[in-house]
């Protein structure tokens, strides 16, 4: 066997500066920015985890418990052995495989769409969906208008910023207010798009997709939906918030992620064949990005097949989320009423949220912690993600640990 030298090697850099940078240094401002984040309780760091910890994990997004499913892991390994560790290039050059096409066909069929296009992440899928469909074209007399929910995910916000920089108009409506969205879409003759998450990632609330679709059609707008937290959890058999009613509509475009319910990595956009063709030919995060690694594509495909064979997993997630929410509220905590897998619990401050999370972890339960600027309303929270594999004993343990360690 080949010997791998794992001894650390020094980086070819000068020693780190221990004191503050001189005032005229071009990056001197970083120290002040870090100090302000520290005073606000917004310091962040990565914490590597071992492969097995013996913890109850309610911080990740493995909603269906498929990340370690034997069939999913085996499919990832087989794909890596067959196609290699990486895609090897952009999908328009050398990075496309038969596996990518198979995954796209099965995603589209499951969702009820004509076609799908797989990306290296859900983030890049959202950037592609919005920028490719909202950027002005040379023959338009009036720039396109993008109307967005104020609580949309950061990837959608970034996408609209890019579209605005390219010349599009952007308007924001209050969270979940379809009437205000309609008002913003009315008037003018330019191209219009209505953009929203389906399940919002902070509190787990589900937008009224039917109302948004009615508003969009009344004002001849395309409806763009980010169903990252809906696929695998809501809708018949976990087909997502848009899958049952709007999945095959040619005026609706839906993005999904492969890293939550499907336990893998990557993202996809689902829509009509003409939409998918347009994204393939114009979306910069498709044209210029390395394709999704074959192992992730194989894992996502296997997970999708497990979900199709075991649709009860979707209902199990929603049931566990309701049990968590009801149990927390019964104990006097301010918990959201979930429509999908996410339950949030309000904390009195960013510092209290961080301490609360740390205390829960010390007691064997990992939960998420959302603080500004990640939360659009500025209120810090613990964020719990229910999983299909949680049992009654797990639910009781989570409730006890969170209640025991509550601030104050």
């Amino acid at each position: 066997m080949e010997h791998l030298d794992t001894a650390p090697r020094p980086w070819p850099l000068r020693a780190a500066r221990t004191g503050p940078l001189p005032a005229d240094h071009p990056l001197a401002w970083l120290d002040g920015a870090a100090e302000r984040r520290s005073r606000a309780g917004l310091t962040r760091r990565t914490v590597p985890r071992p492969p097995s910890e013996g913890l109850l994990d309610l911080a990740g997004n493995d909603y269906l418990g498929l990340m370690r499913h034997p069939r999913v892991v085996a499919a990832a390994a087989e794909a890596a052995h067959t196609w290699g560790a990486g895609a090897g290039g952009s999908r328009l050059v050398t990075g496309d495989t038969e596996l990518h096409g198979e995954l796209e066909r099965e995603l589209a069929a499951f969702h009820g769409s004509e076609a799908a296009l797989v990306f290296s992440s859900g983030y890049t899928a959202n950037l592609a969906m919005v920028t490719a469909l909202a950027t002005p074209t040379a023959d338009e007399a009036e720039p396109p208008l993008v109307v967005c929910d104020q609580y949309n995910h950061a990837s959608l916000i970034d996408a609209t910023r890019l579209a605005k920089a390219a010349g599009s108009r952007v308007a924001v409506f209050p969270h979940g207010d379809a009437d205000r969205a309609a008002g913003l879409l009315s008037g003018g003759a330019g191209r219009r798009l209505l953009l929203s998450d389906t399940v919002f990632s902070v509190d787990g609330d589900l937008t009224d997709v039917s109302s948004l679709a009615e508003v969009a059609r009344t004002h001849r707008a395309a409806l763009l939906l980010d169903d990252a937290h809906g696929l695998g959890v809501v809708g018949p058999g976990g087909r997502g918030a848009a899958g049952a009613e709007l999945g095959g509509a040619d005026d609706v475009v839906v993005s999904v992620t492969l890293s939550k319910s499907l336990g893998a990595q990557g993202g996809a956009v689902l829509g009509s064949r003409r939409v998918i063709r347009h994204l393939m030919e114009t979306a910069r995060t498709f044209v210029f990005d390395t394709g999704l690694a074959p192992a992730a594509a194989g894992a996502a495909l296997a997970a999708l097949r497990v979900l199709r064979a075991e649709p009860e997993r979707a209902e199990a997630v929603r049931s566990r989320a309701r049990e968590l929410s009801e149990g927390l509220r019964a104990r006097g905590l301010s918990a959201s009423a979930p429509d999908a897998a996410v339950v949030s619990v309000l904390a009195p401050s960013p510092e209290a949220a961080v301490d609360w999370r740390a205390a829960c972890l010390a007691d064997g339960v990992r939960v998420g912690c959302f603080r500004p600027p990640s939360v659009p309303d500025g209120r810090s929270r613990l964020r719990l993600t229910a999983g299909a594999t949680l049992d009654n004993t797990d639910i009781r343990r989570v409730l006890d640990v969170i209640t025991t360690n509550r601030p104050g």
Side-chain angles (χ1 to χ4, degrees), residues 20 55 111 143 215 222 313 317 364 376 392 406:
L55 297 173
H111 190 263
V215 166
R313 286 178 181 260
V317 174
N392 292 336
R406 66 191 300 177

Side-chain angles (χ1 to χ4, degrees), residues 24-402:
D24 61 349
H25 191 283
L27 296 179
W29 64 273
L30 291 175
D31 294 336
E35 176 60 26
R36 288 190 293 275
R37 290 196 302 272
S38 180
R39 289 197 302 267
L42 300 178
T43 299
R44 288 170 165 82
R45 63 189 178 96
T46 59
V47 182
R49 60 174 175 83
S52 180
E53 303 173 278
L55 297 173
L56 272 177
D57 187 359
L58 281 82
N61 294 320
D62 185 23
Y63 298 146
L64 303 183
L66 297 179
M67 187 174 74
R68 294 183 180 274
H69 191 286
R71 286 174 54 188
V72 175
V73 174
E78 181 182 357
H81 280 294
T82 302
W83 299 102
S90 162
R91 289 187 60 193
L92 293 174
V93 183
T94 62
D96 200 34
T97 71
E98 295 170 1
L99 193 59
H100 290 87
E102 192 173 3
L103 174 58
E104 286 167 344
R105 288 189 294 274
E106 294 202 21
L107 277 170
F110 180 75
H111 190 263
S113 299
E114 281 188 356
L117 190 64
V118 165
F119 291 78
S120 61
S121 72
Y123 211 107
T124 56
N126 273 345
L127 292 181
M129 177 177 70
V130 177
T131 58
L133 296 175
T135 298
T137 60
D139 58 350
E140 289 182 295
E142 187 174 342
L145 170 64
V146 188
V147 174
C148 317
D149 190 294
Q150 72 177 118
Y151 285 2
N152 279 345
H153 187 262
S155 57
L156 297 181
I157 293 172
D158 287 351
T160 58
R161 288 171 175 169
L162 289 171
K164 185 175 182 179
S168 297
R169 297 169 294 154
V170 175
V172 178
F173 62 91
H175 178 50
D177 192 335
D179 291 337
R180 290 290 297 276
L184 292 170
L185 286 169
S186 62
R191 178 158 46 99
R192 280 158 283 191
L193 305 95
L194 179 56
L195 176 63
S196 179
D197 284 359
T198 58
V199 177
F200 287 82
S201 60
V202 173
D203 286 329
D205 55 313
L206 176 66
T207 197
D208 188 342
V209 174
S210 296
S211 293
L212 288 183
E214 182 178 355
V215 166
R217 285 167 178 164
T218 297
H219 296 281
R220 301 180 64 82
L223 178 61
L224 277 55
L225 298 172
D226 176 1
D227 207 17
H229 295 273
L231 181 71
V233 178
V234 301
R239 283 172 170 76
E245 180 182 355
L246 301 171
D250 59 9
D251 58 350
V252 177
V253 185
V254 178
S255 65
V256 296
T257 182
L258 312 179
S259 63
K260 296 179 172 59
S261 289
L262 299 185
Q265 189 172 356
V269 177
L270 305 109
S272 69
R273 289 186 179 89
R274 59 171 48 88
V275 163
I276 297 307
R277 176 183 176 179
H278 181 73
L279 266 63
M280 185 182 295
E281 295 177 352
T282 67
R284 295 175 65 84
T285 55
F286 183 82
V287 175
F288 298 107
D289 191 27
T290 297
L292 180 66
L301 181 58
L304 181 62
R305 290 170 177 172
V306 172
L307 174 58
R308 281 167 43 195
E310 302 173 15
E312 65 274 8
R313 286 178 181 260
E315 172 53 36
V317 174
R318 298 196 300 271
S319 176
R320 289 313 190 191
R322 288 192 296 269
E323 291 170 16
L324 285 170
S325 175
E326 292 166 2
L328 291 166
R329 283 183 283 162
R331 296 173 182 224
L333 292 164
S334 179
S336 63
D339 291 315
V342 175
V343 178
S344 70
V345 189
L346 290 180
S349 69
E351 296 85 356
V354 171
D355 292 343
W356 198 358
R357 174 182 60 181
C360 291
L361 183 61
D363 280 348
V365 175
R366 174 180 280 122
V367 296
C369 174
F370 274 24
R371 298 167 287 159
S374 298
V375 283
D377 62 0
R379 305 177 71 186
S380 296
R381 297 160 166 82
L382 295 188
R383 180 180 181 271
L384 285 61
T385 52
T389 58
L390 293 174
D391 59 26
N392 292 336
T393 301
D394 296 333
I395 295 292
R396 287 194 297 270
R397 181 181 171 196
V398 171
L399 294 175
D400 288 343
V401 167
I402 290 176

